[in-house]
Amino acid sequence: MAAAEAGGDDARCVGLSTERARALLADVDTLLFDHDSVLWCGKTAVPGAPEALSALRARGKRLGFITNNSSKTREAYAEKLRHLGFGGPTGPGARLEVFGTAYCTALYLRQRLAGARVPKAYVLGSEALASELGAVGVACVGVGPEPLQGDSPGAWLDAPLDPDVRAVVVGFDPHFSYMKLTKAVRYLQQPGCLLVGTNMDNRLPLENGRFIAGTGCLVQAVEMAAQRQAIIGKPSRFIFDCVSQEYGINLERTVMVGDRLDTDILLGVTCGLKTILTLTGVSTLGDVKSNQESDCMSKKKMVPDFCVDSIADLLPALQG
Amino acid sequence: MAAAEAGGDDARCVGLSTERARALLADVDTLLFDHDSVLWCGKTAVPGAPEALSALRARGKRLGFITNNSSKTREAYAEKLRHLGFGGPTGPGARLEVFGTAYCTALYLRQRLAGARVPKAYVLGSEALASELGAVGVACVGVGPEPLQGDSPGAWLDAPLDPDVRAVVVGFDPHFSYMKLTKAVRYLQQPGCLLVGTNMDNRLPLENGRFIAGTGCLVQAVEMAAQRQAIIGKPSRFIFDCVSQEYGINLERTVMVGDRLDTDILLGVTCGLKTILTLTGVSTLGDVKSNQESDCMSKKKMVPDFCVDSIADLLPALQG
């Protein structure tokens, strides 16, 4: 087994030489990739990444994409993948390879709100998130700007609520405001109201080392005020279960590839997948070392089997 | 010593009978009170609380008020105290008894920004907070609504920053928005830019069990995105040092009275004061028990010496 040849559990986070990569890929039929900082940074593909994915497809590997980003629908991500040269199924009825938190939130709410007369959610998030929910029959309120109404706490608490709302969804919301936070918490005080946070990422990386505040900052604000918790994105197992149900995953023959130890790698480890950390994004080898040396079990788990500077490093093992 | 008579450290959180209260008060010359849910809930005084404070004043006790709430100036709080019947010094030059986080933030920044050509702060907070900062010569930008500018992350990151800003202050801000969060984090990326969070309270209690999201929710969002920390309110020692410098506190003869274990009581314990928990607010006897039984030292510390249903319970010990 490749992992054992490369040192196995006793020597994790092994650099993936061409020889090791070849051995690993021989044992694998499915590769699951994070998007941001793995395939692309902002609007630019990571150099060599499209070629690496094309070569994987040419070798018959099945690819899947698991993103915590809730700001696009899965169709929009599929389009971005094609646009940046990562290929993917096309045409009507083509099976989508993308599992984003907007889509997975929709699956979750379809299941949990099945008995509701009018399944409806208060959404702190994008039109794309609302669109995914709408596609499974969950109506949405709250998308877009919501400035302060009234000039006192009493007035903020008296603003009307929608009586049909049965869930609060917190995704990436550039229109996040104190008024929205107030409303979210009021809905969550009502018996049976569900809370879904798409992910806990603290930052959303862009090009050139720039970043914006991530969804986790907004989720945490709601969680803190409501004293509730609920995340469906990585590292939660829920998002992997969505993939597994559609793909029929063989755990031993699947690799999770990502740039974050606390989401991508932790998800892979938790679900029993092989893991590859790519150094084009958030986590560094210093972070890996710190986790390896930690005496905290929850940190020790956040160590990948392998690491690469970039997924372009897989290319030599796929050539010739 | 009253605490010893009442059971001392080995049996903390002792109910304060009239006899015990009389013995405790005989050993005390200064009482420091939290505001919200201790003296008042929203706009209404806790029944009997004004009478208890009047009786303490009549016995020559010195009173001080330590609040994490940053939404009023200390003058405005002094006025609210008088208006609700809690008395206090009046007239020009009267020494103010209120130590709020708006005032303490001003003291902190006056000290830390002493060398700056134009001391200026980006303030996520109220006009009152800006007013306290202005009073010590720290100019403020950012107060009031700040909706999203532009329709892409690149545009949000390109919005102009004030080149003179040397600190970000996060207080209670009902106009909190993602745009403000983005700007705060951009300022904090600049070398030497200070961060002050006024407090970490998760909720701000109002009348009738209602509450709104507290400043802590907003501070945590900024901290998470910026990967920085800095709190000056309770339980941080800084706010107590502000009191101590103006009052010349004798630790052994001072009591801290509050409704929250994680702020008021923890501050008192940390600073070596006697502590009284009042059950008119956030923390319950169940919370106390849970902390007493915890094997976590940081929780074990959050246990008061005494507890009362309400500070009105001090009244019988002050009569006759």
Side-chain angles (χ1 to χ4, degrees):
Chain A
M1 202 180 105
E5 284 169 29
D9 280 348
D10 294 337
R12 292 170 71 190
C13 196
V14 174
L16 207 49
S17 65
T18 300
E19 195 179 340
R20 281 177 181 145
R22 200 169 280 142
L24 172 67
L25 291 171
D27 278 344
V28 154
D29 54 34
T30 303
L31 293 100
L32 303 174
F33 290 90
D34 176 37
H35 278 167
D36 292 299
S37 298
V38 175
L39 305 184
W40 58 63
C41 294
K43 294 175 180 170
T44 313
V46 168
E51 292 77 7
L53 261 65
S54 296
L56 286 166
R57 290 187 193 277
R59 291 285 178 116
K61 304 299 180 191
R62 185 170 52 170
L63 307 185
F65 304 96
I66 307 189
T67 176
N68 271 354
N69 199 320
S70 66
S71 60
K72 290 196 201 314
T73 60
R74 63 193 316 219
E75 284 79 8
Y77 277 122
E79 174 54 36
K80 180 168 181 178
L81 282 163
R82 282 193 296 271
H83 176 70
L84 291 179
F86 292 101
T90 51
R95 187 173 197 166
L96 290 169
E97 301 171 316
V98 180
F99 298 82
T101 46
Y103 174 64
C104 294
T105 299
L107 296 184
Y108 180 80
L109 289 185
R110 183 175 63 181
Q111 185 183 44
R112 294 293 305 273
L113 297 182
R117 190 178 53 82
V118 185
K120 193 180 268 189
Y122 180 63
V123 174
L124 286 79
S126 61
E127 290 285 356
L129 180 51
S131 161
E132 292 279 19
L133 298 185
V136 301
V138 176
C140 297
V141 290
V143 174
E146 190 159 351
L148 208 60
Q149 292 166 36
D151 57 1
S152 70
W156 309 332
L157 290 177
D158 288 339
L161 295 184
D162 186 315
D164 290 324
V165 164
R166 296 285 176 273
V168 170
V169 175
V170 189
F172 180 73
D173 185 3
H175 293 290
F176 186 87
S177 66
Y178 187 79
M179 193 68 202
K180 288 190 170 191
L181 173 60
T182 304
K183 274 202 176 171
V185 175
R186 289 173 63 208
Y187 281 120
L188 290 167
Q189 292 296 105
Q190 300 184 348
C193 185
L194 302 171
L195 171 60
V196 180
T198 60
N199 67 80
M200 284 304 277
D201 295 18
N202 65 330
R203 293 177 175 182
L204 189 60
L206 304 173
E207 294 95 340
N208 307 320
R210 306 215 306 174
F211 67 91
I212 53 175
T215 304
C217 305
L218 315 180
V219 173
Q220 190 130 320
V222 175
E223 285 188 342
M224 189 171 179
Q227 299 280 285
R228 298 265 301 266
Q229 286 192 312
I231 299 300
I232 62 142
K234 296 173 287 186
S236 159
R237 215 195 145 89
F238 183 82
I239 195 166
F240 177 72
D241 291 343
C242 294
V243 183
S244 197
Q245 274 166 31
E246 292 193 27
Y247 267 38
I249 293 281
N250 176 345
L251 299 177
E252 297 211 338
R253 296 187 63 80
T254 301
V255 180
M256 176 72 214
V257 187
D259 72 305
R260 289 188 73 122
L261 296 170
D262 61 346
T263 57
D264 306 312
I265 302 307
L266 181 55
L267 177 73
V269 171
T270 307
C271 296
L273 312 179
K274 296 177 174 65
T275 52
I276 301 176
L277 178 72
T278 169
L279 299 172
T280 37
V282 171
S283 299
T284 65
L285 285 181
D287 298 330
V288 173
K289 189 156 183 279
S290 160
N291 287 353
Q292 284 175 316
E293 291 170 355
S294 169
D295 46 17
C296 171
M297 270 314 290
S298 64
K299 291 212 158 187
K300 268 192 166 339
K301 280 172 71 174
M302 289 191 266
V303 173
D305 295 314
F306 304 100
C307 68
V308 290
D309 287 330
S310 150
I311 59 166
D313 294 358
L314 296 176
L315 207 47
L318 293 160
Q319 290 168 331
Chain B
M1 203 181 105
E5 285 168 27
D9 280 346
D10 294 337
R12 291 170 72 191
C13 196
V14 174
L16 207 48
S17 65
T18 300
E19 195 181 341
R20 280 177 182 144
R22 200 170 279 139
L24 172 66
L25 291 171
D27 279 344
V28 153
D29 54 33
T30 302
L31 292 99
L32 303 175
F33 290 90
D34 177 37
H35 277 166
D36 292 298
S37 298
V38 174
L39 304 183
W40 58 63
C41 294
K43 294 175 180 170
T44 314
V46 167
E51 293 77 7
L53 261 65
S54 295
L56 286 165
R57 290 187 193 278
R59 291 286 178 114
K61 304 299 182 192
R62 183 171 53 170
L63 307 185
F65 304 96
I66 308 189
T67 176
N68 272 353
N69 199 319
S70 66
S71 60
K72 290 194 200 315
T73 61
R74 63 195 315 218
E75 284 79 6
Y77 277 122
E79 174 54 34
K80 180 168 182 177
L81 283 163
R82 282 193 297 271
H83 176 72
L84 291 179
F86 292 100
T90 52
R95 186 174 198 166
L96 290 170
E97 300 171 316
V98 180
F99 298 83
T101 46
Y103 174 63
C104 293
T105 299
L107 296 184
Y108 180 80
L109 290 185
R110 182 175 63 184
Q111 186 183 44
R112 294 293 306 274
L113 297 182
R117 191 178 54 82
V118 185
K120 192 179 270 190
Y122 181 64
V123 174
L124 286 78
S126 60
E127 290 285 355
L129 179 52
S131 162
E132 291 279 20
L133 297 185
V136 301
V138 176
C140 296
V141 290
V143 175
E146 189 159 350
L148 207 61
Q149 292 165 36
D151 58 1
S152 70
W156 309 333
L157 291 177
D158 288 338
L161 295 183
D162 185 316
D164 290 324
V165 163
R166 297 284 177 274
V168 170
V169 175
V170 189
F172 180 72
D173 185 3
H175 294 289
F176 186 87
S177 66
Y178 187 78
M179 193 69 204
K180 287 189 172 192
L181 172 60
T182 304
K183 273 201 177 172
V185 175
R186 290 173 62 209
Y187 280 121
L188 290 167
Q189 293 294 107
Q190 299 183 349
C193 185
L194 302 172
L195 171 61
V196 181
T198 60
N199 67 80
M200 285 305 278
D201 295 18
N202 65 329
R203 294 176 175 183
L204 190 60
L206 305 173
E207 293 94 339
N208 307 319
R210 306 215 304 174
F211 67 90
I212 53 175
T215 304
C217 305
L218 315 181
V219 174
Q220 191 129 319
V222 174
E223 285 188 343
M224 189 170 179
Q227 298 281 287
R228 299 265 300 265
Q229 287 192 312
I231 301 300
I232 62 141
K234 298 174 285 186
S236 158
R237 217 196 143 87
F238 183 81
I239 195 166
F240 176 72
D241 291 342
C242 294
V243 183
S244 198
Q245 274 166 31
E246 292 193 27
Y247 267 38
I249 293 282
N250 176 344
L251 298 177
E252 297 210 338
R253 296 186 63 79
T254 301
V255 180
M256 176 72 215
V257 187
D259 71 305
R260 289 188 72 122
L261 296 170
D262 60 347
T263 55
D264 305 314
I265 302 307
L266 181 55
L267 177 74
V269 171
T270 307
C271 296
L273 312 178
K274 294 177 177 65
T275 53
I276 301 177
L277 178 72
T278 169
L279 298 172
T280 38
V282 171
S283 299
T284 65
L285 285 181
D287 298 329
V288 173
K289 190 156 180 280
S290 160
N291 286 352
Q292 283 175 317
E293 291 170 356
S294 170
D295 46 16
C296 170
M297 270 314 290
S298 64
K299 292 213 157 187
K300 269 191 165 344
K301 280 173 72 174
M302 289 192 266
V303 173
D305 295 314
F306 304 100
C307 69
V308 290
D309 287 330
S310 150
I311 59 167
D313 294 358
L314 296 176
L315 207 47
L318 294 159
Q319 290 169 330

